Structures are given as structure tokens and as C-alpha cells.
Amino acid sequence: QKEVEQNSGPLSVPEGAIASLNCTYSDRVSQSFFWYRQYSGKSPELIMSIYSNGDKEDGRFTAQLNKASQYVSLLIRDSQPSDSATYLCAVNVGSSASKIIFGSGTRLSIRP
Amino acid sequence: KAGVTQTPRYLIKTRGQQVTLSCSPISGHRSVSWYQQTPGQGLQFLFEYFSETQRNKGNFPGRFSGRQFSNSRSEMNVSTLELGDSALYLCASRGTSGGNEQFFGPGTRLTVL
């Protein structure tokens, strides 16, 4: 089992709709969870971090964490063509806060 | 604040050679992590340095090594290059206050011929 799993996509969503991206992780002691966006040919850019169960909102983005189910998700409201990118879920593993492992990413395409 | 910088941005080497990549973290950040990104394997953790000490290590052969200097700048070395080492090498820095967020540099694109 991979430590961090994501559906590779592509996920196609119409402009203005909600895009929902999901991620599961295997390490029960993980405490830090991140979503990064990566455009083709660019480096990952941090969108959201979440540390506690529940929802965290930042503009059009909402991260949701459920530690009991070992599940973290990212919702993008009012999707724009500029949101088309690969979204990477990242989780710390083990007791170390500083070893952060990435999922393989979900490719999101927003169609006009 | 200036972001994470990496040099060089592009590099072409041949099999058997060695290469050294450099990363300067965000000012005040003391943690630097290195990752290898390939289309087939995604983003894979190489190692993390904090205050000149390697704190974590991924599952890469000993040909991959790194170090960190007293000013937090970090270098990564790959010896005896193989074709499979062709990848985007990313470094990320993290501060010591607040959350655990990492910020990436632009990466070094290494091509091994």
C-alpha cells in the first residue's frame, strides 16, 4: 500500500462547478497535511495546510480532514480554467514532522 | 522575502559522471528537503537537512548524498550518474515557527545521456 494515494485522473469539471479532490494516507500518526498545485513545467505551489479534523477554508479552496478515516480532501469552488493543474496531496509520515511524502497527484482539467 | 533558489536550472551530464546541485532556502529557514520528480514515480523524498544534520532519509541508493552549510544553504550530489537519474530535482525549505509548511524552489532539470 502506498503511503499517500490519490486518483490520478484526469478529473474534468465544467467552469464554475465544484472540483473535489481526494487523498488517503496509511500512517495513523500523521499530523500534517498539505495540498500543492503544480502547473506543467513548474514546481509545486502550496495551496492549503490542515492539521486538525474538520474543514479549513481559504478563498475558493476548502480542505477537509478526517483522521479516523485517514482521508483528506480539497474542494475548489467556482472552478476557473486557471485551476487546471495537477494537485498533489502531501502528508508527514512517522513521528517526524519533517519527513513529508507526496501522492502521485490528480490532474484536474476545467472545461469552459 | 526572496523565495527558494536553486542552481543550476538545467544540467546535461553523461552516464558515470557526478553532479552537484545547490539550494538556498528562504531567509531564516533552517530546514531543507530534497525531492526527485519523474513522470513515472512522481515526487519522491530524498532527504532532509536541519542545522547541518541529516534528519530524514528516503529510499535512494548511496549515490545520492547531501549536505547543509552553516548558512542553511544545501547541496545535493549524485555520483556515477545513470540514465534513470534524469529528473527534476526540487528543494523545499521550511521555517521553524508556525506550521510545518514547505516551500519549493523552481527545481533543477537534470538530463543524463
PDB file of all heavy atoms in Angstrom, chain B residues 43-60:
ATOM      1  N   LEU B  43       6.769  12.570  -7.112  1.00  0.00           N
ATOM      2  CA  LEU B  43       7.676  13.290  -6.217  1.00  0.00           C
ATOM      3  C   LEU B  43       8.159  12.338  -5.133  1.00  0.00           C
ATOM      4  O   LEU B  43       7.379  11.900  -4.293  1.00  0.00           O
ATOM      5  CB  LEU B  43       6.925  14.440  -5.555  1.00  0.00           C
ATOM      6  CG  LEU B  43       7.243  15.868  -5.958  1.00  0.00           C
ATOM      7  CD1 LEU B  43       6.324  16.824  -5.231  1.00  0.00           C
ATOM      8  CD2 LEU B  43       8.683  16.208  -5.615  1.00  0.00           C
ATOM      9  N   GLN B  44       9.444  12.057  -5.121  1.00  0.00           N
ATOM     10  CA  GLN B  44       9.970  11.125  -4.127  1.00  0.00           C
ATOM     11  C   GLN B  44      10.948  11.835  -3.199  1.00  0.00           C
ATOM     12  O   GLN B  44      11.831  12.563  -3.663  1.00  0.00           O
ATOM     13  CB  GLN B  44      10.663   9.953  -4.817  1.00  0.00           C
ATOM     14  CG  GLN B  44       9.686   9.047  -5.571  1.00  0.00           C
ATOM     15  CD  GLN B  44      10.371   7.784  -6.015  1.00  0.00           C
ATOM     16  OE1 GLN B  44      11.122   7.781  -6.982  1.00  0.00           O
ATOM     17  NE2 GLN B  44      10.125   6.699  -5.299  1.00  0.00           N
ATOM     18  N   PHE B  45      10.802  11.601  -1.927  1.00  0.00           N
ATOM     19  CA  PHE B  45      11.612  12.234  -0.892  1.00  0.00           C
ATOM     20  C   PHE B  45      13.022  11.650  -0.895  1.00  0.00           C
ATOM     21  O   PHE B  45      13.211  10.428  -0.826  1.00  0.00           O
ATOM     22  CB  PHE B  45      10.940  11.997   0.464  1.00  0.00           C
ATOM     23  CG  PHE B  45      11.702  12.515   1.641  1.00  0.00           C
ATOM     24  CD1 PHE B  45      11.650  13.858   1.981  1.00  0.00           C
ATOM     25  CD2 PHE B  45      12.455  11.657   2.427  1.00  0.00           C
ATOM     26  CE1 PHE B  45      12.332  14.336   3.085  1.00  0.00           C
ATOM     27  CE2 PHE B  45      13.142  12.129   3.530  1.00  0.00           C
ATOM     28  CZ  PHE B  45      13.083  13.463   3.860  1.00  0.00           C
ATOM     29  N   LEU B  46      14.002  12.528  -0.968  1.00  0.00           N
ATOM     30  CA  LEU B  46      15.409  12.097  -0.922  1.00  0.00           C
ATOM     31  C   LEU B  46      15.956  12.184   0.500  1.00  0.00           C
ATOM     32  O   LEU B  46      16.391  11.204   1.074  1.00  0.00           O
ATOM     33  CB  LEU B  46      16.242  12.960  -1.867  1.00  0.00           C
ATOM     34  CG  LEU B  46      16.178  12.579  -3.342  1.00  0.00           C
ATOM     35  CD1 LEU B  46      16.487  13.777  -4.215  1.00  0.00           C
ATOM     36  CD2 LEU B  46      17.146  11.444  -3.631  1.00  0.00           C
ATOM     37  N   PHE B  47      16.014  13.396   1.028  1.00  0.00           N
ATOM     38  CA  PHE B  47      16.492  13.605   2.396  1.00  0.00           C
ATOM     39  C   PHE B  47      16.148  15.008   2.859  1.00  0.00           C
ATOM     40  O   PHE B  47      15.778  15.863   2.060  1.00  0.00           O
ATOM     41  CB  PHE B  47      18.011  13.365   2.555  1.00  0.00           C
ATOM     42  CG  PHE B  47      18.843  13.610   1.336  1.00  0.00           C
ATOM     43  CD1 PHE B  47      18.968  14.888   0.803  1.00  0.00           C
ATOM     44  CD2 PHE B  47      19.496  12.561   0.716  1.00  0.00           C
ATOM     45  CE1 PHE B  47      19.738  15.110  -0.314  1.00  0.00           C
ATOM     46  CE2 PHE B  47      20.272  12.777  -0.414  1.00  0.00           C
ATOM     47  CZ  PHE B  47      20.392  14.054  -0.934  1.00  0.00           C
ATOM     48  N   GLU B  48      16.299  15.192   4.160  1.00  0.00           N
ATOM     49  CA  GLU B  48      16.039  16.486   4.775  1.00  0.00           C
ATOM     50  C   GLU B  48      17.184  16.856   5.707  1.00  0.00           C
ATOM     51  O   GLU B  48      17.700  15.992   6.437  1.00  0.00           O
ATOM     52  CB  GLU B  48      14.737  16.465   5.566  1.00  0.00           C
ATOM     53  CG  GLU B  48      14.326  17.844   6.113  1.00  0.00           C
ATOM     54  CD  GLU B  48      14.100  17.870   7.596  1.00  0.00           C
ATOM     55  OE1 GLU B  48      14.171  16.809   8.250  1.00  0.00           O
ATOM     56  OE2 GLU B  48      13.851  18.981   8.132  1.00  0.00           O
ATOM     57  N   TYR B  49      17.586  18.087   5.636  1.00  0.00           N
ATOM     58  CA  TYR B  49      18.650  18.601   6.494  1.00  0.00           C
ATOM     59  C   TYR B  49      18.116  19.721   7.365  1.00  0.00           C
ATOM     60  O   TYR B  49      17.287  20.534   6.931  1.00  0.00           O
ATOM     61  CB  TYR B  49      19.822  19.116   5.668  1.00  0.00           C
ATOM     62  CG  TYR B  49      20.646  18.001   5.095  1.00  0.00           C
ATOM     63  CD1 TYR B  49      20.304  17.423   3.882  1.00  0.00           C
ATOM     64  CD2 TYR B  49      21.737  17.493   5.790  1.00  0.00           C
ATOM     65  CE1 TYR B  49      21.034  16.374   3.375  1.00  0.00           C
ATOM     66  CE2 TYR B  49      22.484  16.438   5.276  1.00  0.00           C
ATOM     67  CZ  TYR B  49      22.115  15.885   4.064  1.00  0.00           C
ATOM     68  OH  TYR B  49      22.846  14.839   3.558  1.00  0.00           O
ATOM     69  N   PHE B  50      18.618  19.735   8.591  1.00  0.00           N
ATOM     70  CA  PHE B  50      18.257  20.792   9.530  1.00  0.00           C
ATOM     71  C   PHE B  50      19.484  21.099  10.360  1.00  0.00           C
ATOM     72  O   PHE B  50      20.081  20.187  10.948  1.00  0.00           O
ATOM     73  CB  PHE B  50      17.103  20.332  10.435  1.00  0.00           C
ATOM     74  CG  PHE B  50      16.675  21.357  11.447  1.00  0.00           C
ATOM     75  CD1 PHE B  50      15.793  22.356  11.103  1.00  0.00           C
ATOM     76  CD2 PHE B  50      17.168  21.325  12.751  1.00  0.00           C
ATOM     77  CE1 PHE B  50      15.408  23.311  12.034  1.00  0.00           C
ATOM     78  CE2 PHE B  50      16.781  22.265  13.676  1.00  0.00           C
ATOM     79  CZ  PHE B  50      15.907  23.268  13.320  1.00  0.00           C
ATOM     80  N   SER B  51      19.858  22.355  10.396  1.00  0.00           N
ATOM     81  CA  SER B  51      21.047  22.764  11.150  1.00  0.00           C
ATOM     82  C   SER B  51      22.241  21.864  10.852  1.00  0.00           C
ATOM     83  O   SER B  51      22.885  21.333  11.766  1.00  0.00           O
ATOM     84  CB  SER B  51      20.741  22.760  12.663  1.00  0.00           C
ATOM     85  OG  SER B  51      19.825  23.770  12.975  1.00  0.00           O
ATOM     86  N   GLU B  52      22.495  21.674   9.571  1.00  0.00           N
ATOM     87  CA  GLU B  52      23.675  20.964   9.061  1.00  0.00           C
ATOM     88  C   GLU B  52      23.645  19.459   9.320  1.00  0.00           C
ATOM     89  O   GLU B  52      24.642  18.765   9.069  1.00  0.00           O
ATOM     90  CB  GLU B  52      24.965  21.569   9.657  1.00  0.00           C
ATOM     91  CG  GLU B  52      25.122  23.055   9.355  1.00  0.00           C
ATOM     92  CD  GLU B  52      26.382  23.641   9.973  1.00  0.00           C
ATOM     93  OE1 GLU B  52      27.491  23.244   9.539  1.00  0.00           O
ATOM     94  OE2 GLU B  52      26.242  24.486  10.889  1.00  0.00           O
ATOM     95  N   THR B  53      22.531  18.922   9.810  1.00  0.00           N
ATOM     96  CA  THR B  53      22.430  17.497  10.106  1.00  0.00           C
ATOM     97  C   THR B  53      21.330  16.873   9.258  1.00  0.00           C
ATOM     98  O   THR B  53      20.248  17.457   9.112  1.00  0.00           O
ATOM     99  CB  THR B  53      22.101  17.284  11.600  1.00  0.00           C
ATOM    100  OG1 THR B  53      23.134  17.871  12.388  1.00  0.00           O
ATOM    101  CG2 THR B  53      21.980  15.799  11.919  1.00  0.00           C
ATOM    102  N   GLN B  54      21.606  15.682   8.735  1.00  0.00           N
ATOM    103  CA  GLN B  54      20.564  14.974   8.000  1.00  0.00           C
ATOM    104  C   GLN B  54      19.580  14.398   9.004  1.00  0.00           C
ATOM    105  O   GLN B  54      19.932  13.555   9.840  1.00  0.00           O
ATOM    106  CB  GLN B  54      21.161  13.845   7.154  1.00  0.00           C
ATOM    107  CG  GLN B  54      20.135  13.189   6.232  1.00  0.00           C
ATOM    108  CD  GLN B  54      20.741  12.066   5.409  1.00  0.00           C
ATOM    109  OE1 GLN B  54      20.776  10.910   5.834  1.00  0.00           O
ATOM    110  NE2 GLN B  54      21.218  12.399   4.221  1.00  0.00           N
ATOM    111  N   ARG B  55      18.336  14.805   8.879  1.00  0.00           N
ATOM    112  CA  ARG B  55      17.340  14.419   9.873  1.00  0.00           C
ATOM    113  C   ARG B  55      16.465  13.273   9.386  1.00  0.00           C
ATOM    114  O   ARG B  55      15.953  12.483  10.172  1.00  0.00           O
ATOM    115  CB  ARG B  55      16.496  15.649  10.203  1.00  0.00           C
ATOM    116  CG  ARG B  55      15.788  15.627  11.510  1.00  0.00           C
ATOM    117  CD  ARG B  55      15.412  16.990  12.020  1.00  0.00           C
ATOM    118  NE  ARG B  55      14.536  17.756  11.166  1.00  0.00           N
ATOM    119  CZ  ARG B  55      13.875  18.841  11.576  1.00  0.00           C
ATOM    120  NH1 ARG B  55      13.987  19.241  12.824  1.00  0.00           N
ATOM    121  NH2 ARG B  55      13.131  19.534  10.737  1.00  0.00           N
ATOM    122  N   ASN B  56      16.249  13.209   8.079  1.00  0.00           N
ATOM    123  CA  ASN B  56      15.443  12.145   7.498  1.00  0.00           C
ATOM    124  C   ASN B  56      16.035  11.745   6.158  1.00  0.00           C
ATOM    125  O   ASN B  56      16.684  12.559   5.489  1.00  0.00           O
ATOM    126  CB  ASN B  56      13.998  12.618   7.265  1.00  0.00           C
ATOM    127  CG  ASN B  56      13.220  12.749   8.538  1.00  0.00           C
ATOM    128  OD1 ASN B  56      12.908  11.767   9.205  1.00  0.00           O
ATOM    129  ND2 ASN B  56      12.903  13.979   8.911  1.00  0.00           N
ATOM    130  N   LYS B  57      15.755  10.500   5.769  1.00  0.00           N
ATOM    131  CA  LYS B  57      16.299   9.997   4.515  1.00  0.00           C
ATOM    132  C   LYS B  57      15.251   9.130   3.839  1.00  0.00           C
ATOM    133  O   LYS B  57      14.543   8.370   4.490  1.00  0.00           O
ATOM    134  CB  LYS B  57      17.562   9.185   4.796  1.00  0.00           C
ATOM    135  CG  LYS B  57      18.366   8.814   3.575  1.00  0.00           C
ATOM    136  CD  LYS B  57      19.650   8.099   3.995  1.00  0.00           C
ATOM    137  CE  LYS B  57      20.592   7.886   2.810  1.00  0.00           C
ATOM    138  NZ  LYS B  57      19.974   7.280   1.638  1.00  0.00           N
ATOM    139  N   GLY B  58      15.176   9.248   2.511  1.00  0.00           N
ATOM    140  CA  GLY B  58      14.273   8.400   1.742  1.00  0.00           C
ATOM    141  C   GLY B  58      14.982   7.144   1.292  1.00  0.00           C
ATOM    142  O   GLY B  58      16.088   6.822   1.742  1.00  0.00           O
ATOM    143  N   ASN B  59      14.347   6.407   0.395  1.00  0.00           N
ATOM    144  CA  ASN B  59      14.867   5.127  -0.066  1.00  0.00           C
ATOM    145  C   ASN B  59      15.623   5.264  -1.375  1.00  0.00           C
ATOM    146  O   ASN B  59      15.184   4.755  -2.407  1.00  0.00           O
ATOM    147  CB  ASN B  59      13.721   4.125  -0.219  1.00  0.00           C
ATOM    148  CG  ASN B  59      13.043   3.842   1.097  1.00  0.00           C
ATOM    149  OD1 ASN B  59      13.680   3.765   2.136  1.00  0.00           O
ATOM    150  ND2 ASN B  59      11.722   3.713   1.059  1.00  0.00           N
ATOM    151  N   PHE B  60      16.715   5.960  -1.337  1.00  0.00           N
ATOM    152  CA  PHE B  60      17.559   6.129  -2.511  1.00  0.00           C
ATOM    153  C   PHE B  60      18.929   5.527  -2.228  1.00  0.00           C
ATOM    154  O   PHE B  60      19.371   5.453  -1.094  1.00  0.00           O
ATOM    155  CB  PHE B  60      17.709   7.626  -2.843  1.00  0.00           C
ATOM    156  CG  PHE B  60      16.552   8.166  -3.647  1.00  0.00           C
ATOM    157  CD1 PHE B  60      15.373   8.527  -3.019  1.00  0.00           C
ATOM    158  CD2 PHE B  60      16.643   8.305  -5.019  1.00  0.00           C
ATOM    159  CE1 PHE B  60      14.296   9.011  -3.743  1.00  0.00           C
ATOM    160  CE2 PHE B  60      15.579   8.802  -5.758  1.00  0.00           C
ATOM    161  CZ  PHE B  60      14.406   9.147  -5.111  1.00  0.00           C
TER     162      PHE B  60
END
